[in-house]
Amino acid sequence: MSDTAVKLRPAQAHILNYEGGCMGVSAVPGSGKTFTLSLLAARLVEHVLAQESLDDREVLVVTFTNSAVENFRNRIATFLNRERGLLPGVGYRVRTLHALAHDIVRERPALVGLHEGFGIVDERTSAEIIREAVQGYLRTHPETFSPFILPDYLQRARTIERYIQDDALEIANAVIRVGKDLRVEPYELQARLRRQSGTWPLIEFGIHIYADYQRSLQTRGAVDFNDLIVLALRALDADPNYLERLQERWPYVLEDEAQDSTALQEAMLRRLTARRGNWVRVGDPNQAITTTFTSANPEFLVAFTQEYSEQARDLPNSGRSAWPIIEIANHLIEWSRTRHPVLPQRLALTPPRIEPTLVGDPQPNPDAGQVPHHFFERAMTPEQEIGIVVSSLRRWLPDHPDATVAVLTLEGGRCFHITEALAAAGLPFDDSLLRTSTATRAAAQALATVLDYIAQPAAGSRLEQVWSEVWWPRRGPSLLAQRAQAAAPVLAPAAAGETIHHAVPATRKQDLPEPVKTFAAALRKLDTPESFLFPAGHDWLNQIGWLDSVDGLRAAVEAFRSDLQRWTRATVLPADELVLTLGNDLFVDPADLALAHFLAVHLAKLAAENPTYRLPDLAGELGNIATNRKRMPGFDEDAQGYEPKRGKVTVATMHAAKGLEWDRVYLISVNNYNFPSGAPDDAYRGERWFTRDRLNLIAETLAQVRQLHMGTLDDYVPGEATRQARLEVAAERLRLLYVGITRARRELIVTYNTGRRENNPSAPAAAFEALQRFCAQAR
């Protein structure tokens, strides 16, 4: 394949000179990593196919997502077809690591004790199995977490019950994951635990759930995704001839996104490459942003490049960002390595620094914006911060209709508030990178609002919410449209030309017709909501004489009351039937009706697992979904192949933004709560306010599992795992900030807020202050 067809950068050409052996490549953001690895794969395919005796050999490319698999397949096929006219799919195989493990096990299942038709449980089924096991354990062992809760909160257990259950699920998932990483069976851990002195409620709980989970998989004759890697290793170790055959089949192994590799995945690839030693690993340790909730560790790639330093390569040139933004990213690397107040060198960001492209490069760096970077150093509340960002966008968007822009933050719940503010300001936005779309969250919020009211019908403020935020937007206009007087101008929406869709909430009170807002205010002041809902001889509505002066409004209010009465009487129904009743009354859109059915099943299961849950608890569960704090399996948006939309504001988490770029980027909420430094006086999400000694119960449990795996818990030191977890969180959040910064092409704006803890407001993150000083000096 000739270099004349593809213009290569010097660093890319150096990598493409590869002929064999182990090579580690550190690639900066926007450096053309996928292009380079695809072109290398195509050249190696040519080499393999040129050897006539090796017809069944393939170049193996492994990556982490299905979308990346398709991207590599298409690129490799294009290179081979353009230069050699070769058929696509010949001479190479592209797989995710889990799919590769599945291939290995599926070819010889008997090696690991599986039958030919073994199944794989999906993530949703796996989560249901674990949740059922956790709920059952906590019902029979309600005292499990009591030794770790402050005395004041033990007296108010109801207020923290939901948080304890969330932590219990996280602990269970983490113990199962780490147990499989260690390749240790639960019965082995249980036997070792019985030999320990003292009581160990956390690890006893975790191992018990691990054992229940494995039994459930065995009953189904199935395995999960974590099992696949373990079973692949077991198959490779069980039959040396089978391993040798696979080593011959794949003479070259190219690994993408190697910064996200785990110990087990690395072990599998080491076995496959041990015979020929042709292994190329490409990644960026500075973009490893899943380490605190998976087994991924960027240190594996770093150690690999050091082990094979003679073939360590860099891809430093990037045409993504303007030079002032590159300078910020590079300064963050340098600051983390030399001036970070807490992090040790091994957890700091790593070289190479980002270098701009050379003159004549097909992807030249863009020109910087008029103000290429700005760190907004004024302390703001979360609401003020969003207001500042929205005001900035309102000024910027009209002058840049062909540009792309994103607002990125750490958590999905914050994204929900941003999209609300953008909608209120009438600014176009795109939220398809979020876990759930605006329409899905709106439907969940509508159901949560109604459930919350009918559970506590004496609250006038909740009654007003149901009217103005749920019932009127979905039922009012359609009801009026059936009447001859529906065109009365006084009831037209305030925003000219605006239509109200069933799938999208009209929660902006300023957009409601004035009479609708006036009636909402009257509901809010109502001291005895029952005088409206179930009047007994005295109807509160008769006091509002002006209703009849607005065509159609009294009829709408009467219909609202009729719906409320029916919903209130329906509270005797099971949770799923109640939600279906609400959904059928509120929704017309098929997607919303399908969502209502899904939520009905979800709440029925939740109610069965939690007999003490009442309607407010179930409404709270829907509220978590509505505010993007919980995933909606089956309703998540597919972000594969996402392209930023010009003239619209992309709202996303920094995690979801990886691999993408925008002309202008806002990074918000960069405070010492979201981006702690590792210092003990920072706040950490894994440390609950109600736990003794600020212990991170998840980290402490995993430390106990690892100690027990080595034989004894004698060396376990309470609190040490919590302190180490702080450093690991700080390091990952630093990498996440680096990812956020390198999404920006021409302009970068960074803000922080003081959080919601009035007695302990958040400060700007240490990295925020360091970069703000750097930018001030640069000016």
Side-chain angles (χ1 to χ4, degrees):
M1 188 172 294
S2 66
D3 290 339
T4 57
V6 180
K7 185 173 178 60
L8 299 174
R9 295 168 185 161
Q12 292 172 328
H14 192 32
I15 290 168
L16 290 169
N17 288 331
Y18 170 83
E19 294 181 351
C22 289
M23 180 170 71
V25 179
S26 299
V28 304
S31 60
K33 166 179 67 70
T34 303
F35 164 84
T36 306
L37 195 60
S38 300
L39 186 53
L40 176 60
R43 293 188 172 185
L44 293 175
V45 169
E46 283 189 47
H47 173 71
V48 169
L49 294 180
Q51 304 176 51
E52 294 183 3
S53 62
L54 305 179
D55 291 341
D56 61 339
R57 309 296 165 86
E58 298 173 320
V59 173
L60 176 62
V61 180
V62 291
T63 186
F64 278 78
T65 65
N66 290 323
S67 58
V69 166
E70 290 306 311
N71 192 9
F72 272 109
R73 281 178 180 158
N74 292 337
R75 285 175 178 262
I76 295 170
T78 298
F79 287 139
L80 289 172
N81 181 265
R82 182 176 63 199
E83 292 295 319
R84 292 291 183 267
L86 298 174
L87 293 174
V90 177
Y92 61 95
R93 180 181 301 206
V94 187
R95 306 294 274 162
T96 65
L97 280 159
H98 283 101
L100 173 64
H102 178 258
D103 291 346
I104 293 170
V105 176
R106 181 66 71 184
E107 190 169 331
R108 296 285 303 280
L111 287 176
V112 292
L114 293 175
H115 58 80
E116 293 286 342
F118 75 89
I120 303 173
V121 298
D122 59 22
E123 291 182 354
R124 182 176 171 185
T125 302
S126 174
E128 288 177 353
I129 295 171
I130 294 170
R131 185 172 62 250
E132 288 176 359
V134 168
Q135 297 292 346
Y137 189 93
L138 292 182
R139 278 196 295 270
T140 56
H141 302 78
E143 76 293 343
T144 298
F145 290 88
S146 297
F148 308 98
I149 298 174
L150 293 169
D152 287 350
Y153 288 97
L154 281 175
Q155 307 303 317
R156 295 177 285 160
R158 178 74 182 172
T159 62
I160 60 173
E161 180 180 2
R162 185 176 300 166
Y163 300 101
I164 290 175
Q165 291 189 2
D166 287 346
D167 285 354
L169 283 170
E170 283 201 55
I171 289 171
N173 279 288
V175 169
I176 292 170
R177 169 172 52 82
V178 170
K180 294 187 177 188
D181 284 347
L182 295 173
R183 302 176 70 180
V184 58
E185 296 293 335
Y187 69 84
E188 297 176 274
L189 292 173
Q190 288 173 325
R192 292 171 188 170
L193 184 60
R194 286 192 291 269
R195 295 195 292 268
Q196 309 303 309
S197 59
T199 58
W200 303 88
L202 291 179
I203 190 173
E204 184 176 352
F205 159 74
I207 297 173
H208 183 95
I209 303 302
Y210 184 16
D212 279 358
Y213 178 70
Q214 290 301 97
R215 276 195 296 272
S216 183
L217 292 182
Q218 291 165 7
T219 300
R220 288 170 165 81
V223 298
D224 66 10
F225 286 109
N226 287 326
D227 286 323
L228 287 175
I229 306 290
V230 176
L231 293 172
L233 282 169
R234 193 181 300 169
L236 296 177
D237 292 340
D239 187 344
N241 292 328
Y242 180 44
L243 172 59
E244 183 177 344
R245 191 162 69 252
L246 294 179
Q247 290 169 338
E248 288 297 312
R249 182 186 301 172
W250 299 315
Y252 296 94
V253 175
L254 312 184
E255 179 187 2
D256 180 42
E257 300 289 0
Q259 78 277 354
D260 292 326
S261 187
T262 70
L264 289 180
Q265 291 163 356
E266 184 181 65
M268 180 175 67
L269 295 183
R270 280 193 182 277
R271 282 166 173 74
L272 292 176
T273 57
R275 182 178 179 83
R276 291 178 173 270
N278 299 326
W279 185 10
V280 178
R281 310 185 75 181
V282 182
D284 182 0
N286 294 338
Q287 295 191 77
I289 55 176
T290 64
T291 57
T292 56
F293 51 89
T294 71
S295 299
N297 193 331
E299 293 183 23
F300 294 130
L301 176 59
V302 173
F304 183 86
T305 58
Q306 293 171 349
E307 181 181 359
Y308 301 102
S309 57
E310 71 282 357
Q311 278 209 112
R313 303 285 185 266
D314 291 339
L315 274 177
N317 302 99
S318 173
R320 171 178 293 167
S321 303
W323 175 243
I325 294 170
I326 290 176
E327 284 188 306
I328 292 175
N330 286 338
H331 182 74
L332 186 63
I333 295 175
E334 188 273 334
W335 173 80
S336 76
R337 299 183 66 79
T338 60
R339 281 173 275 178
H340 194 285
V342 179
L343 285 186
Q345 186 80 1
R346 69 176 182 84
L347 292 177
L349 298 177
T350 64
R353 293 164 56 92
I354 303 173
E355 298 176 10
T357 56
L358 303 177
V359 176
D361 192 279
Q363 187 191 8
N365 296 86
D367 295 329
Q370 188 174 4
V371 181
H373 45 66
H374 179 67
F375 284 74
F376 200 87
E377 52 188 313
R378 193 180 85 198
M380 298 176 286
T381 65
E383 293 76 18
Q384 290 171 335
E385 180 184 39
I386 290 178
I388 287 290
V389 170
V390 170
S391 295
S392 172
L393 286 164
R394 188 185 288 115
R395 295 189 301 270
W396 186 83
L397 279 171
D399 296 332
H400 302 83
D402 296 325
T404 57
V405 59
V407 181
L408 307 179
T409 188
L410 178 68
E411 57 179 13
R414 187 75 169 142
C415 290
F416 173 71
H417 296 299
I418 296 166
T419 57
E420 276 193 328
L422 290 170
L427 298 179
F429 64 89
D430 175 16
D431 64 351
S432 57
L433 285 176
L434 299 181
R435 286 177 170 175
T436 50
S437 70
T438 297
T440 300
R441 294 197 307 275
Q445 185 62 63
L447 293 170
T449 301
V450 176
L451 273 185
D452 197 37
Y453 166 70
I454 61 178
Q456 304 176 70
S461 60
R462 290 189 172 90
L463 181 59
E464 181 267 337
Q465 279 184 301
V466 175
W467 163 257
S468 61
E469 297 179 10
V470 179
W471 193 90
W472 176 264
R474 287 173 170 77
R475 297 269 285 155
S478 60
L479 181 68
L480 294 180
Q482 299 170 13
R483 300 172 57 89
Q485 303 95 330
V490 70
L491 281 179
E498 181 180 5
T499 56
I500 300 178
H501 301 281
H502 289 282
V504 181
T507 56
R508 296 171 284 165
K509 291 186 176 61
Q510 65 268 32
D511 286 351
L512 295 173
E514 283 302 325
V516 173
K517 289 194 286 187
T518 302
F519 182 68
L523 287 175
R524 189 167 57 251
K525 296 175 182 177
L526 185 59
D527 293 329
T528 55
E530 63 273 13
S531 65
F532 164 66
L533 187 57
F534 294 106
H538 171 70
D539 190 345
W540 172 76
L541 278 185
N542 293 333
Q543 302 178 31
I544 308 178
W546 60 266
L547 279 180
D548 294 317
S549 66
V550 182
D551 288 338
L553 186 57
R554 177 173 285 275
V557 170
E558 292 283 5
F560 172 57
R561 176 161 63 184
S562 176
D563 283 346
L564 285 177
Q565 290 170 345
R566 184 169 62 260
W567 297 342
T568 304
R569 294 188 182 104
T571 55
V572 298
L573 296 173
D576 54 338
E577 293 183 31
L578 176 57
V579 170
L580 288 174
T581 298
L582 298 178
N584 288 333
D585 283 348
L586 290 171
F587 303 141
V588 174
D589 187 273
D592 285 345
L593 291 169
L595 173 66
H597 181 269
F598 178 87
L599 290 173
V601 174
H602 175 65
L603 291 189
K605 191 171 185 62
L606 196 67
E609 293 168 348
N610 299 273
T612 62
Y613 269 26
R614 297 169 296 176
L615 272 183
D617 301 301
L618 299 177
E621 176 73 8
L622 293 185
N624 284 333
I625 293 169
T627 53
N628 216 43
R629 288 193 292 268
K630 286 199 173 180
R631 291 187 62 188
M632 278 290 296
F635 281 87
D636 291 356
E637 294 291 323
D638 185 1
Q640 296 181 9
Y642 177 83
E643 288 290 338
K645 298 173 177 60
R646 299 183 184 277
K648 283 190 174 183
V649 183
T650 300
V651 181
T653 64
M654 295 181 195
H655 285 93
K658 185 173 178 286
L660 301 172
E661 60 186 54
W662 292 266
D663 295 312
R664 170 179 274 211
V665 168
Y666 295 82
L667 302 181
I668 73 169
S669 305
V670 186
N671 55 34
N672 67 336
Y673 178 65
N674 291 325
F675 295 87
S677 66
D681 53 344
D682 282 343
Y684 297 85
R685 292 172 180 269
E687 300 173 18
R688 296 293 194 185
W689 68 94
F690 53 78
T691 55
R692 175 174 53 82
D693 300 326
R694 291 180 59 190
L695 289 177
N696 182 326
L697 299 184
I698 300 165
E700 296 296 325
T701 307
L702 294 185
Q704 293 174 13
V705 171
R706 292 186 176 100
Q707 286 286 339
L708 186 62
H709 176 59
M710 292 188 288
T712 178
L713 288 169
D714 292 346
D715 294 330
Y716 166 73
V717 179
E720 183 58 36
T722 296
R723 289 187 286 273
Q724 183 58 36
R726 291 172 182 170
L727 295 178
E728 291 171 357
V729 167
E732 181 179 284
R733 295 296 163 78
L734 195 63
R735 296 192 293 268
L736 189 60
L737 182 60
Y738 177 84
V739 167
I741 290 169
T742 54
R743 300 312 95 193
R745 285 175 45 78
R746 303 182 68 241
E747 298 175 346
L748 174 70
I749 299 171
V750 188
T751 66
Y752 83 98
N753 64 61
T754 56
R756 303 192 181 280
R757 298 168 299 161
E758 294 182 3
N759 60 336
N760 186 23
S762 297
F768 179 103
E769 294 181 319
L771 296 177
Q772 191 275 329
R773 288 192 299 268
F774 172 76
C775 291
Q777 293 168 0
R779 286 197 297 268

